[in-house]
Amino acid sequence: MSMSYAMRRLLAGVAATLVGTACQPIPYAVAAAQAPAQALTDQAVQHYEAGQQSQALGEFRRAAEQGNRLAQFDYAMMLLNGEGGTPDPSGAVQWLERAANAGMTQAQYVYGKMFDDGYVVGKSIPQANLWYEKAAKQGHVQAQAAIANEYFIGRGVPRDYKTAFAWYEKAARGGDLPSQYIVASYYERGYGVVTPDLGRARLWYAKAAAQGDVAAQGKLDAMNRVPAPTPSPAPAR
Protein backbone atom coordinates (compact mmCIF):
# COMPACT_ATOMS: atom_id res chain seq x y z
CA MET A 1 0.00 0.00 0.00
CA SER A 2 1.59 3.28 -1.08
CA MET A 3 1.33 6.40 1.06
CA SER A 4 0.18 9.66 -0.53
CA TYR A 5 2.27 12.80 -0.11
CA ALA A 6 -0.53 14.41 1.91
CA MET A 7 -0.66 11.44 4.26
CA ARG A 8 3.11 11.44 4.59
CA ARG A 9 2.98 15.08 5.65
CA LEU A 10 0.17 14.34 8.09
CA LEU A 11 1.90 11.35 9.64
CA ALA A 12 5.48 12.61 9.56
CA GLY A 13 7.19 12.35 12.91
CA VAL A 14 8.31 15.97 13.12
CA ALA A 15 8.80 15.97 16.85
CA ALA A 16 9.99 19.53 17.28
CA THR A 17 6.71 21.01 16.08
CA LEU A 18 4.73 18.91 18.51
CA VAL A 19 6.49 19.53 21.80
CA GLY A 20 4.64 22.72 22.64
CA THR A 21 1.37 22.24 20.80
CA ALA A 22 0.15 18.69 20.78
CA CYS A 23 -0.42 17.96 24.45
CA GLN A 24 -2.39 19.60 27.16
CA PRO A 25 -0.39 20.60 30.25
CA ILE A 26 0.57 17.71 32.52
CA PRO A 27 0.02 18.09 36.28
CA TYR A 28 3.23 18.89 38.17
CA ALA A 29 3.37 15.58 40.07
CA VAL A 30 2.95 13.59 36.86
CA ALA A 31 5.47 15.77 35.05
CA ALA A 32 8.03 15.21 37.80
CA ALA A 33 7.57 11.46 37.54
CA GLN A 34 7.99 11.65 33.76
CA ALA A 35 11.07 13.89 33.86
CA PRO A 36 13.56 11.12 32.90
CA ALA A 37 11.32 10.08 30.00
CA GLN A 38 11.03 13.71 28.88
CA ALA A 39 14.80 14.12 28.92
CA LEU A 40 15.13 10.96 26.83
CA THR A 41 12.45 12.25 24.44
CA ASP A 42 14.29 15.57 24.04
CA GLN A 43 17.46 13.64 23.27
CA ALA A 44 15.60 11.57 20.68
CA VAL A 45 14.28 14.74 19.04
CA GLN A 46 17.82 16.07 18.72
CA HIS A 47 19.07 12.83 17.17
CA TYR A 48 16.08 12.71 14.81
CA GLU A 49 16.68 16.27 13.63
CA ALA A 50 20.37 15.42 13.14
CA GLY A 51 19.40 12.55 10.84
CA GLN A 52 20.39 9.85 13.34
CA GLN A 53 17.15 7.94 12.92
CA SER A 54 18.19 4.57 14.30
CA GLN A 55 19.36 6.14 17.55
CA ALA A 56 16.25 8.32 17.74
CA LEU A 57 14.02 5.30 17.19
CA GLY A 58 15.51 3.44 20.16
CA GLU A 59 15.30 6.49 22.41
CA PHE A 60 11.71 7.20 21.45
CA ARG A 61 10.86 3.55 22.17
CA ARG A 62 12.39 3.65 25.65
CA ALA A 63 10.69 6.96 26.49
CA ALA A 64 7.40 5.66 25.08
CA GLU A 65 7.62 2.60 27.33
CA GLN A 66 8.05 4.99 30.26
CA GLY A 67 4.78 6.71 29.35
CA ASN A 68 5.88 9.87 27.53
CA ARG A 69 3.05 10.80 25.15
CA LEU A 70 5.20 12.67 22.66
CA ALA A 71 7.61 9.76 22.46
CA GLN A 72 4.70 7.35 21.95
CA PHE A 73 3.45 9.45 19.05
CA ASP A 74 6.83 9.97 17.41
CA TYR A 75 7.78 6.32 17.88
CA ALA A 76 4.49 5.38 16.20
CA MET A 77 5.19 7.69 13.27
CA MET A 78 8.71 6.37 12.82
CA LEU A 79 7.41 2.78 12.86
CA LEU A 80 4.73 3.70 10.34
CA ASN A 81 7.15 5.43 7.97
CA GLY A 82 9.94 2.89 8.42
CA GLU A 83 12.34 5.53 9.68
CA GLY A 84 15.35 4.05 11.43
CA GLY A 85 14.16 0.50 10.79
CA THR A 86 11.64 -1.72 9.04
CA PRO A 87 8.08 -0.36 8.76
CA ASP A 88 5.76 -1.81 11.40
CA PRO A 89 2.20 -0.55 10.76
CA SER A 90 0.56 -2.72 13.42
CA GLY A 91 3.06 -1.61 16.06
CA ALA A 92 2.59 1.98 14.95
CA VAL A 93 -1.17 1.77 15.49
CA GLN A 94 -0.70 0.35 18.99
CA TRP A 95 1.58 3.19 20.05
CA LEU A 96 -0.55 5.80 18.33
CA GLU A 97 -3.60 4.54 20.22
CA ARG A 98 -1.69 4.74 23.49
CA ALA A 99 -0.71 8.34 22.82
CA ALA A 100 -4.29 9.18 21.82
CA ASN A 101 -5.71 7.56 24.95
CA ALA A 102 -3.17 9.52 27.00
CA GLY A 103 -4.78 12.72 25.72
CA MET A 104 -2.30 13.86 23.07
CA THR A 105 -4.36 15.87 20.62
CA GLN A 106 -2.15 15.35 17.56
CA ALA A 107 -2.28 11.60 18.12
CA GLN A 108 -6.06 11.77 18.49
CA TYR A 109 -6.39 13.72 15.26
CA VAL A 110 -4.05 11.46 13.28
CA TYR A 111 -5.78 8.35 14.66
CA GLY A 112 -9.13 9.80 13.61
CA LYS A 113 -7.75 10.62 10.17
CA MET A 114 -6.55 7.06 9.75
CA PHE A 115 -10.05 5.73 10.53
CA ASP A 116 -11.52 8.35 8.20
CA ASP A 117 -9.29 7.26 5.31
CA GLY A 118 -9.19 3.55 6.13
CA TYR A 119 -5.41 3.80 6.21
CA VAL A 120 -3.73 0.90 8.10
CA VAL A 121 -6.84 0.54 10.30
CA GLY A 122 -10.29 -0.39 8.98
CA LYS A 123 -12.34 2.53 7.73
CA SER A 124 -14.79 3.69 10.41
CA ILE A 125 -16.47 7.08 10.26
CA PRO A 126 -17.88 6.78 13.83
CA GLN A 127 -14.39 6.06 15.17
CA ALA A 128 -12.95 8.90 13.10
CA ASN A 129 -15.50 11.33 14.53
CA LEU A 130 -14.94 10.06 18.05
CA TRP A 131 -11.24 10.91 17.88
CA TYR A 132 -11.77 14.14 15.95
CA GLU A 133 -14.13 15.36 18.65
CA LYS A 134 -11.80 14.36 21.48
CA ALA A 135 -9.00 16.38 19.89
CA ALA A 136 -11.35 19.24 18.97
CA LYS A 137 -12.52 19.62 22.55
CA GLN A 138 -8.89 20.10 23.59
CA GLY A 139 -8.39 22.86 21.02
CA HIS A 140 -6.83 21.02 18.07
CA VAL A 141 -7.68 23.30 15.13
CA GLN A 142 -7.56 20.71 12.33
CA ALA A 143 -9.78 18.40 14.38
CA GLN A 144 -12.23 21.24 14.99
CA ALA A 145 -12.49 21.86 11.25
CA ALA A 146 -12.83 18.13 10.58
CA ILE A 147 -15.68 17.58 13.04
CA ALA A 148 -17.35 20.77 11.80
CA ASN A 149 -17.40 19.30 8.29
CA GLU A 150 -18.95 16.09 9.62
CA TYR A 151 -21.79 17.93 11.35
CA PHE A 152 -22.30 20.15 8.30
CA ILE A 153 -22.83 17.25 5.91
CA GLY A 154 -24.24 14.77 8.45
CA ARG A 155 -21.48 12.21 7.96
CA GLY A 156 -21.50 9.76 10.84
CA VAL A 157 -23.33 12.27 13.02
CA PRO A 158 -26.76 13.94 12.67
CA ARG A 159 -26.64 16.91 10.32
CA ASP A 160 -26.55 19.98 12.55
CA TYR A 161 -25.66 23.35 11.00
CA LYS A 162 -25.62 25.10 14.37
CA THR A 163 -23.12 22.67 15.88
CA ALA A 164 -21.09 22.79 12.67
CA PHE A 165 -20.94 26.58 12.88
CA ALA A 166 -19.78 26.47 16.51
CA TRP A 167 -16.86 24.22 15.55
CA TYR A 168 -16.08 26.21 12.40
CA GLU A 169 -15.88 29.38 14.47
CA LYS A 170 -13.47 27.77 16.94
CA ALA A 171 -11.29 26.55 14.06
CA ALA A 172 -11.47 29.96 12.40
CA ARG A 173 -10.29 31.64 15.59
CA GLY A 174 -7.41 29.15 15.60
CA GLY A 175 -6.38 30.31 12.12
CA ASP A 176 -7.90 27.64 9.86
CA LEU A 177 -8.36 29.36 6.50
CA PRO A 178 -11.30 27.36 5.07
CA SER A 179 -13.14 27.75 8.38
CA GLN A 180 -12.59 31.51 8.28
CA TYR A 181 -14.24 31.67 4.85
CA ILE A 182 -17.15 29.49 5.98
CA VAL A 183 -17.72 31.59 9.12
CA ALA A 184 -17.70 34.72 6.98
CA SER A 185 -20.31 33.13 4.71
CA TYR A 186 -22.48 32.28 7.72
CA TYR A 187 -22.35 35.88 8.92
CA GLU A 188 -23.07 37.15 5.42
CA ARG A 189 -26.10 34.93 4.81
CA GLY A 190 -27.24 33.76 8.23
CA TYR A 191 -28.47 30.38 6.96
CA GLY A 192 -30.95 30.30 9.82
CA VAL A 193 -28.12 29.75 12.30
CA VAL A 194 -26.80 33.24 13.10
CA THR A 195 -28.15 36.74 12.63
CA PRO A 196 -26.56 38.18 9.47
CA ASP A 197 -23.82 40.64 10.37
CA LEU A 198 -21.97 42.15 7.41
CA GLY A 199 -19.35 43.71 9.66
CA ARG A 200 -18.37 40.31 11.02
CA ALA A 201 -18.58 38.81 7.55
CA ARG A 202 -16.07 41.38 6.27
CA LEU A 203 -13.81 40.69 9.25
CA TRP A 204 -13.64 36.95 8.55
CA TYR A 205 -13.34 37.36 4.77
CA ALA A 206 -10.45 39.75 5.46
CA LYS A 207 -8.74 37.20 7.73
CA ALA A 208 -9.06 34.50 5.07
CA ALA A 209 -7.90 36.91 2.34
CA ALA A 210 -4.86 37.83 4.43
CA GLN A 211 -3.85 34.15 4.27
CA GLY A 212 -4.07 34.20 0.48
CA ASP A 213 -7.64 33.04 -0.16
CA VAL A 214 -8.49 34.58 -3.53
CA ALA A 215 -12.21 33.82 -3.23
CA ALA A 216 -12.33 35.56 0.15
CA GLN A 217 -10.60 38.61 -1.32
CA GLY A 218 -13.16 38.66 -4.13
CA LYS A 219 -16.04 38.51 -1.64
CA LEU A 220 -14.47 41.26 0.45
CA ASP A 221 -13.97 43.50 -2.60
CA ALA A 222 -17.56 42.93 -3.71
CA MET A 223 -18.93 43.76 -0.26
CA ASN A 224 -16.80 46.89 -0.03
CA ARG A 225 -18.12 48.11 -3.39
CA VAL A 226 -21.69 48.09 -2.09
CA PRO A 227 -22.41 51.55 -0.64
CA ALA A 228 -23.72 51.72 2.91
CA PRO A 229 -27.46 52.46 3.02
CA THR A 230 -28.29 56.15 3.31
CA PRO A 231 -30.21 56.92 6.51
CA SER A 232 -33.76 58.12 5.92
CA PRO A 233 -34.31 61.80 6.74
CA ALA A 234 -36.06 62.53 9.98
CA PRO A 235 -39.76 63.30 9.50
CA ALA A 236 -40.68 66.98 9.55
CA ARG A 237 -42.37 68.19 12.68
Side-chain angles (χ1 to χ4, degrees):
M1 181 186 301
S2 62
M3 188 188 304
S4 69
Y5 174 70
M7 181 58 78
R8 283 184 181 275
R9 290 197 62 187
L10 171 67
L11 300 180
V14 185
T17 64
L18 301 174
V19 173
T21 60
C23 302
Q24 285 199 319
I26 301 174
Y28 176 78
V30 177
Q34 292 186 357
Q38 184 59 54
L40 187 57
T41 300
D42 294 341
Q43 185 174 307
V45 170
Q46 293 175 7
H47 285 134
Y48 182 89
E49 291 179 338
Q52 300 172 24
Q53 293 186 349
S54 296
Q55 190 163 351
L57 182 69
E59 291 164 344
F60 277 136
R61 177 184 57 76
R62 294 198 300 277
E65 290 171 346
Q66 294 176 43
N68 184 277
R69 298 181 298 182
L70 176 59
Q72 290 170 350
F73 176 77
D74 284 325
Y75 183 52
M77 295 302 96
M78 291 191 74
L79 290 177
L80 189 65
N81 294 328
E83 296 176 296
T86 303
D88 181 3
S90 61
V93 170
Q94 292 175 14
W95 283 107
L96 181 62
E97 184 178 19
R98 286 181 66 172
N101 280 321
M104 184 182 186
T105 59
Q106 182 69 2
Q108 291 170 342
Y109 172 71
V110 171
Y111 201 30
K113 182 66 175 168
M114 289 172 73
F115 278 114
D116 199 345
D117 294 340
Y119 178 75
V120 182
V121 299
K123 188 177 182 70
S124 172
I125 302 306
Q127 280 293 308
N129 291 344
L130 173 86
W131 290 106
Y132 285 154
E133 196 147 7
K134 283 180 181 290
K137 287 178 177 177
Q138 294 193 77
H140 192 286
V141 174
Q142 290 172 290
Q144 290 170 344
I147 198 63
N149 289 336
E150 302 294 70
Y151 277 108
F152 188 82
I153 63 177
R155 182 171 177 261
V157 291
R159 180 175 291 177
D160 186 332
Y161 295 133
K162 187 174 182 179
T163 299
F165 172 76
W167 283 119
Y168 279 132
E169 191 167 38
K170 288 180 185 294
R173 292 186 187 281
D176 183 68
L177 190 158
S179 295
Q180 290 174 343
Y181 185 96
I182 292 169
V183 168
S185 181
Y186 265 98
Y187 278 120
E188 182 183 8
R189 303 292 182 182
Y191 300 128
V193 173
V194 298
T195 301
D197 185 329
L198 296 185
R200 289 191 178 186
R202 286 187 177 93
L203 172 69
W204 285 111
Y205 280 135
K207 287 181 180 291
Q211 293 199 66
D213 190 301
V214 176
Q217 186 63 60
K219 292 287 292 186
L220 185 62
D221 292 343
M223 292 179 73
N224 288 337
R225 284 195 297 267
V226 176
T230 302
S232 301
R237 294 186 178 178

Short mmCIF file of all heavy atoms in Angstrom, two decimals, residues 38-41 46 70 76 106-107 110 115 138 150 165 174 177 182 187 193 207 219:
data_model
loop_
_atom_site.label_atom_id
_atom_site.label_comp_id
_atom_site.label_asym_id
_atom_site.label_seq_id
_atom_site.Cartn_x
_atom_site.Cartn_y
_atom_site.Cartn_z
N GLN A 38 11.03 12.49 29.67
CA GLN A 38 11.03 13.71 28.88
C GLN A 38 12.44 14.05 28.41
O GLN A 38 12.66 14.45 27.27
CB GLN A 38 10.45 14.87 29.69
CG GLN A 38 10.33 16.17 28.89
CD GLN A 38 9.43 16.01 27.67
OE1 GLN A 38 8.29 15.58 27.78
NE2 GLN A 38 9.96 16.34 26.50
N ALA A 39 13.42 13.86 29.30
CA ALA A 39 14.80 14.12 28.92
C ALA A 39 15.24 13.18 27.79
O ALA A 39 15.92 13.59 26.84
CB ALA A 39 15.72 13.94 30.13
N LEU A 40 14.81 11.93 27.87
CA LEU A 40 15.13 10.96 26.83
C LEU A 40 14.43 11.33 25.52
O LEU A 40 15.01 11.19 24.43
CB LEU A 40 14.71 9.56 27.29
CG LEU A 40 15.12 8.38 26.40
CD1 LEU A 40 16.63 8.34 26.21
CD2 LEU A 40 14.63 7.07 27.03
N THR A 41 13.20 11.82 25.63
CA THR A 41 12.45 12.25 24.44
C THR A 41 13.15 13.44 23.78
O THR A 41 13.30 13.48 22.55
CB THR A 41 11.01 12.64 24.82
OG1 THR A 41 10.36 11.51 25.40
CG2 THR A 41 10.23 13.09 23.60
N GLN A 46 16.55 15.53 19.24
CA GLN A 46 17.82 16.07 18.72
C GLN A 46 18.47 15.10 17.74
O GLN A 46 18.97 15.52 16.68
CB GLN A 46 18.77 16.36 19.89
CG GLN A 46 18.31 17.49 20.80
CD GLN A 46 19.19 17.67 22.01
OE1 GLN A 46 20.25 17.02 22.12
NE2 GLN A 46 18.78 18.52 22.94
N LEU A 70 4.54 12.22 23.89
CA LEU A 70 5.20 12.67 22.66
C LEU A 70 6.05 11.57 22.07
O LEU A 70 6.05 11.34 20.86
CB LEU A 70 6.05 13.92 22.95
CG LEU A 70 6.87 14.45 21.76
CD1 LEU A 70 5.97 14.81 20.59
CD2 LEU A 70 7.72 15.63 22.18
N ALA A 76 5.51 5.92 17.11
CA ALA A 76 4.49 5.38 16.20
C ALA A 76 4.72 5.86 14.78
O ALA A 76 4.65 5.08 13.82
CB ALA A 76 3.09 5.78 16.68
N GLN A 106 -2.61 15.69 18.92
CA GLN A 106 -2.15 15.35 17.56
C GLN A 106 -2.33 13.87 17.29
O GLN A 106 -2.71 13.48 16.18
CB GLN A 106 -0.69 15.77 17.38
CG GLN A 106 -0.12 15.50 15.99
CD GLN A 106 -0.70 16.38 14.90
OE1 GLN A 106 -1.53 17.25 15.16
NE2 GLN A 106 -0.26 16.16 13.68
N ALA A 107 -2.08 13.04 18.29
CA ALA A 107 -2.28 11.60 18.12
C ALA A 107 -3.75 11.30 17.91
O ALA A 107 -4.12 10.46 17.08
CB ALA A 107 -1.76 10.86 19.35
N VAL A 110 -4.62 12.38 14.28
CA VAL A 110 -4.05 11.46 13.28
C VAL A 110 -4.76 10.12 13.32
O VAL A 110 -5.06 9.52 12.27
CB VAL A 110 -2.54 11.30 13.50
CG1 VAL A 110 -1.98 10.19 12.63
CG2 VAL A 110 -1.81 12.61 13.20
N PHE A 115 -8.75 6.38 10.63
CA PHE A 115 -10.05 5.73 10.53
C PHE A 115 -10.88 6.35 9.41
O PHE A 115 -11.64 5.65 8.72
CB PHE A 115 -10.81 5.85 11.86
CG PHE A 115 -10.41 4.84 12.89
CD1 PHE A 115 -9.77 5.23 14.06
CD2 PHE A 115 -10.67 3.49 12.70
CE1 PHE A 115 -9.40 4.30 15.03
CE2 PHE A 115 -10.30 2.54 13.65
CZ PHE A 115 -9.66 2.95 14.82
N GLN A 138 -10.11 19.64 22.95
CA GLN A 138 -8.89 20.10 23.59
C GLN A 138 -8.23 21.23 22.81
O GLN A 138 -7.13 21.67 23.16
CB GLN A 138 -7.89 18.94 23.75
CG GLN A 138 -8.35 17.85 24.70
CD GLN A 138 -7.20 16.91 25.04
OE1 GLN A 138 -6.32 17.23 25.84
NE2 GLN A 138 -7.18 15.75 24.39
N GLU A 150 -18.10 17.26 9.43
CA GLU A 150 -18.95 16.09 9.62
C GLU A 150 -20.36 16.51 10.03
O GLU A 150 -21.35 15.96 9.53
CB GLU A 150 -18.35 15.15 10.67
CG GLU A 150 -16.94 14.66 10.36
CD GLU A 150 -16.88 13.76 9.13
OE1 GLU A 150 -17.07 14.29 8.00
OE2 GLU A 150 -16.64 12.56 9.28
N PHE A 165 -21.41 25.20 12.82
CA PHE A 165 -20.94 26.58 12.88
C PHE A 165 -20.10 26.82 14.14
O PHE A 165 -19.06 27.49 14.08
CB PHE A 165 -22.11 27.56 12.87
CG PHE A 165 -21.70 28.98 13.13
CD1 PHE A 165 -21.07 29.72 12.15
CD2 PHE A 165 -21.91 29.56 14.37
CE1 PHE A 165 -20.65 31.03 12.40
CE2 PHE A 165 -21.49 30.86 14.63
CZ PHE A 165 -20.87 31.59 13.64
N GLY A 174 -8.72 29.78 15.51
CA GLY A 174 -7.41 29.15 15.60
C GLY A 174 -6.57 29.33 14.35
O GLY A 174 -5.45 28.85 14.29
N LEU A 177 -7.89 28.51 7.60
CA LEU A 177 -8.36 29.36 6.50
C LEU A 177 -9.72 28.96 5.97
O LEU A 177 -10.61 29.83 5.84
CB LEU A 177 -7.30 29.39 5.38
CG LEU A 177 -7.48 30.40 4.25
CD1 LEU A 177 -6.15 30.67 3.57
CD2 LEU A 177 -8.48 29.93 3.21
N ILE A 182 -15.81 30.03 5.69
CA ILE A 182 -17.15 29.49 5.98
C ILE A 182 -17.85 30.34 7.04
O ILE A 182 -19.04 30.65 6.91
CB ILE A 182 -17.04 28.02 6.42
CG1 ILE A 182 -16.59 27.15 5.25
CG2 ILE A 182 -18.38 27.52 6.99
CD1 ILE A 182 -16.20 25.74 5.63
N TYR A 187 -21.97 34.53 8.47
CA TYR A 187 -22.35 35.88 8.92
C TYR A 187 -22.92 36.73 7.78
O TYR A 187 -23.72 37.62 8.01
CB TYR A 187 -21.16 36.58 9.57
CG TYR A 187 -20.97 36.18 11.01
CD1 TYR A 187 -19.78 35.59 11.44
CD2 TYR A 187 -21.96 36.41 11.95
CE1 TYR A 187 -19.60 35.21 12.76
CE2 TYR A 187 -21.79 36.03 13.29
CZ TYR A 187 -20.62 35.44 13.68
OH TYR A 187 -20.46 35.07 15.00
N VAL A 193 -28.93 30.16 11.15
CA VAL A 193 -28.12 29.75 12.30
C VAL A 193 -27.69 30.97 13.12
O VAL A 193 -27.76 30.96 14.34
CB VAL A 193 -26.88 28.96 11.85
CG1 VAL A 193 -25.96 28.67 13.04
CG2 VAL A 193 -27.31 27.66 11.18
N LYS A 207 -9.71 38.11 7.12
CA LYS A 207 -8.74 37.20 7.73
C LYS A 207 -8.35 36.09 6.75
O LYS A 207 -7.17 35.73 6.63
CB LYS A 207 -9.31 36.60 9.02
CG LYS A 207 -9.38 37.58 10.19
CD LYS A 207 -9.92 36.89 11.44
CE LYS A 207 -9.99 37.86 12.62
NZ LYS A 207 -8.64 38.24 13.10
N LYS A 219 -14.83 38.22 -2.42
CA LYS A 219 -16.04 38.51 -1.64
C LYS A 219 -15.89 39.83 -0.90
O LYS A 219 -16.81 40.64 -0.84
CB LYS A 219 -16.32 37.38 -0.66
CG LYS A 219 -16.71 36.07 -1.28
CD LYS A 219 -18.12 36.08 -1.84
CE LYS A 219 -19.17 36.17 -0.77
NZ LYS A 219 -20.54 36.04 -1.31
#
